[in-house]
Amino acid sequence: MRGEFHAPSLEHEFFPDALWFADVANGWFTIDRLMFVRLLMAVLVALFFLVAMRSPKLVPSGLQNVAEIALDFVRVHIAEEILGKKEGRRFLPVLATMFFLVFAMNLPSVIPGLNVSPNARVGMPLALAIFGYLTFIYAGTKRYGFFKYVKSSVVIPNLPPALHLLVVPLEFFSTFIMRPATLTLRLMANMLAGHIILVLLFSATNFFFWQLNGWTALSGVTIIAAVAFTLFELLVIFLQAYIFSLLSAVYIELSLHADEH
């Protein structure tokens, strides 16, 4: 409503009413607004690469050129930068999937009509973090075998035996619990905070503009701040995709060299 200020509600923004399938399998397949945006962005990413690469040419142009530049960024600046050329190419599909999904799921926060990032609710960041978690465990297990990988990850050589009682639980907690937890919370918290700030700024602009008194001029300040923060949010959208993929690559690299404490 014009002239009214509505503070953002976490309950209604991030746990909206069901749109479809609320009665199917006790709600397990319920699609609400955020889930719809997730599915929409995932489909758009898939369609983009299908169309861009449907008939690849030796000298790319158009969408193929855009897609190759984006893939090359992930390959050079994330996969090969952290893992080297051999392992980087091996894990490129995983890292590219993470990067483009995180980026696509972040982008709706600044798209009019969508106005919310699905990554601001914990489900999608958690699913992506579990995907990365299983990948780095697979990488270590493939190289060392599961039990040797776990031992190499938590046991630091040449420590006094008594210290192992303290260090082993800390290393286990750090490696196998904190890594996926921090990946999840970092992404969710950044997108949640960005959404709340944008809602506050645009709501304040609406409120001040329609006051028609001494406060009306403040709407100019809040709209400038809202536009500036939207531009900043575009940077955050990219950085969060980059950081999520980069840290996943670092964790894979640590698993591949777990015996080199």
Side-chain angles (χ1 to χ4, degrees):
M1 299 293 291
R2 72 182 191 179
E4 295 184 11
F5 179 78
H6 297 278
S9 166
L10 295 183
E11 179 180 354
H12 296 297
E13 285 284 317
F14 299 106
F15 299 96
D17 295 333
L19 297 176
W20 303 290
F21 308 127
D23 298 325
V24 177
N26 294 320
W28 277 87
F29 299 98
T30 298
I31 295 180
D32 59 17
R33 188 168 76 93
L34 262 73
M35 183 58 72
F36 171 75
V37 175
R38 285 174 181 167
L39 295 172
L40 174 64
M41 299 312 294
V43 168
L44 288 177
V45 170
L47 285 176
F48 170 75
F49 283 103
L50 283 173
V51 171
M53 299 298 186
R54 68 186 185 281
S55 55
K57 299 176 181 177
L58 186 60
V59 180
S61 61
L63 279 181
Q64 183 188 341
N65 195 40
V66 175
E68 289 194 9
I69 289 172
L71 286 168
D72 272 350
F73 173 82
V74 178
R75 177 180 62 83
V76 174
H77 296 287
I78 298 176
E80 292 181 1
E81 179 76 19
I82 302 300
L83 297 168
K85 286 190 177 294
K86 180 182 176 182
E87 297 296 343
R89 289 182 180 275
R90 178 185 171 199
F91 288 99
L92 177 60
V94 171
L95 298 173
T97 299
M98 287 181 180
F99 179 86
F100 293 114
L101 276 181
V102 173
F103 181 81
M105 299 293 171
N106 287 347
L107 201 56
S109 64
V110 294
I111 297 178
L114 299 180
N115 300 113
V116 64
S117 167
N119 285 334
R121 191 166 71 184
V122 73
M124 193 67 196
L126 180 60
L128 290 167
I130 290 173
F131 181 42
Y133 179 72
L134 294 176
T135 301
F136 79 71
I137 289 178
Y138 163 80
T141 300
K142 185 74 173 177
R143 172 158 292 192
Y144 299 103
F146 179 74
F147 293 105
K148 184 178 179 181
Y149 161 64
V150 172
K151 179 183 176 182
S152 299
S153 298
V154 302
V155 177
I156 299 178
N158 304 318
L159 276 182
L163 282 180
H164 286 302
L165 296 175
L166 174 64
V167 172
V168 168
L170 289 175
E171 287 290 325
F172 182 87
F173 182 76
S174 173
T175 301
F176 296 104
I177 297 176
M178 286 302 295
R179 287 180 184 177
T182 53
L183 280 176
T184 301
L185 294 176
R186 181 186 296 104
L187 177 57
M188 184 196 73
N190 275 280
M191 301 317 299
L192 175 61
H195 176 77
I196 290 174
I197 293 172
L198 285 173
V199 170
L200 286 171
L201 288 172
F202 282 111
S203 296
T205 299
N206 173 69
F207 175 72
F208 288 131
F209 182 79
W210 293 103
Q211 290 307 295
L212 301 178
N213 54 37
W215 292 102
T216 303
L218 276 178
S219 64
V221 176
T222 54
I223 191 62
I224 290 172
V227 171
F229 192 82
T230 299
L231 296 175
F232 176 74
E233 189 72 356
L234 287 171
L235 176 63
V236 172
I237 285 168
F238 168 78
L239 283 178
Q240 287 305 310
Y242 175 72
I243 291 169
F244 194 99
S245 305
L246 185 73
L247 287 176
S248 297
V250 169
Y251 296 153
I252 292 169
E253 171 68 8
L254 291 173
S255 293
L256 291 172
H257 301 89
D259 58 349
E260 299 176 11
H261 276 286

